């Protein structure tokens, strides 16, 4: 989260990948060494023989909540504050694009983030339902209207 706040998208995503439990169980040998669920964040991964690489304390910590905040809020940059959507992604420079689908009450927001300039952060353009948005410190208002909205963000 700190690296994303500093604008270091490549490093933030790399550390996130190291912590991501699915990356500890990609092959049978990895899963055998990890010994815990690959869908639960471990509070610790042992670094002392004979348990190097073994996960521990999976269901007893707040690690999953922090992992979700690091990925969604810090790297992908999506935050909901009150009834407003805020975007400040900090992604690896080689990510060309990504998408998010957000449900807000009865509405759905299909969000496409494009990175044609290969940057880690900075919003150059934002459009909601085809209309350009002016920079909004207060964020993009979310509406409970049952509609499907399209948000396009271009980094640069």
């Amino acid at each position: 989260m700190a690296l994303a706040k500093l604008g270091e998208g490549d490093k933030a995503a790399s550390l996130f990948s190291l912590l991501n439990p699915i990356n500890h169980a990609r092959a049978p040998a990895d899963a055998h060494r990890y010994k815990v669920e690959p869908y639960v964040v471990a509070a610790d991964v042992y670094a002392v023989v004979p348990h190097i690489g073994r996960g521990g304390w999976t269901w007893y910590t707040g690690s999953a909540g922090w992992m979700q905040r690091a990925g969604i809020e810090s790297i992908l940059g999506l935050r909901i504050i009150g009834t407003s959507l805020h975007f400040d992604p900090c992604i690896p420079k080689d990510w060309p694009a990504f998408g998010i689908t957000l449900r807000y009450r009865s509405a759905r927001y299909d969000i496409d983030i494009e990175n044609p300039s290969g940057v880690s952060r900075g919003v150059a353009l934002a459009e909601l339902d085809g209309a350009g948005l002016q920079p909004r410190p207060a964020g993009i208002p979310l509406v409970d209207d049952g509609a499907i909205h399209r948000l396009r963000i271009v980094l640069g």
Side-chain angles (χ1 to χ4, degrees), residues 3-4 7-18 75 90-92 120:
L3 286 168
E8 297 285 342
D10 293 324
K11 290 179 182 177
S14 177
L15 285 178
F16 186 86
S17 182
L18 284 173
I75 296 172
C90 186
I91 61 171
S120 282

Side-chain angles (χ1 to χ4, degrees), residues 3 6 27 32 63 70 77 124:
L3 286 168
L6 291 170
H32 181 71
S63 301

Side-chain angles (χ1 to χ4, degrees), residues 53-72:
R54 182 176 181 174
W57 293 95
T58 54
W59 291 97
Y60 305 103
T61 73
S63 301
W66 284 107
M67 188 77 170
Q68 194 236 356
R69 290 192 69 190
I72 301 296

Side-chain angles (χ1 to χ4, degrees), residues 125-138:
L125 171 81
E127 297 174 344
L128 180 61
D129 297 328
L133 295 172
Q134 296 302 316
R136 296 176 184 245

Side-chain angles (χ1 to χ4, degrees), residues 22-102:
I22 197 65
N23 292 329
H24 293 280
R26 291 207 174 267
D30 297 334
H32 181 71
R33 178 178 48 252
Y34 195 51
K35 294 194 184 307
V36 296
E37 308 89 337
Y39 47 84
V40 180
V41 179
D44 21 82
V45 177
Y46 301 104
V48 176
V49 175
H51 302 295
I52 293 174
R54 182 176 181 174
W57 293 95
T58 54
W59 291 97
Y60 305 103
T61 73
S63 301
W66 284 107
M67 188 77 170
Q68 194 236 356
R69 290 192 69 190
I72 301 296
E73 294 180 3
S74 297
I75 296 172
L76 299 183
L78 176 121
R79 284 182 185 257
I80 298 172
I81 301 172
T83 59
S84 297
L85 176 64
H86 297 257
F87 256 100
D88 185 20
C90 186
I91 61 171
K93 292 175 184 169
D94 64 355
W95 282 15
F98 66 95
I100 299 172
T101 299
L102 170 72

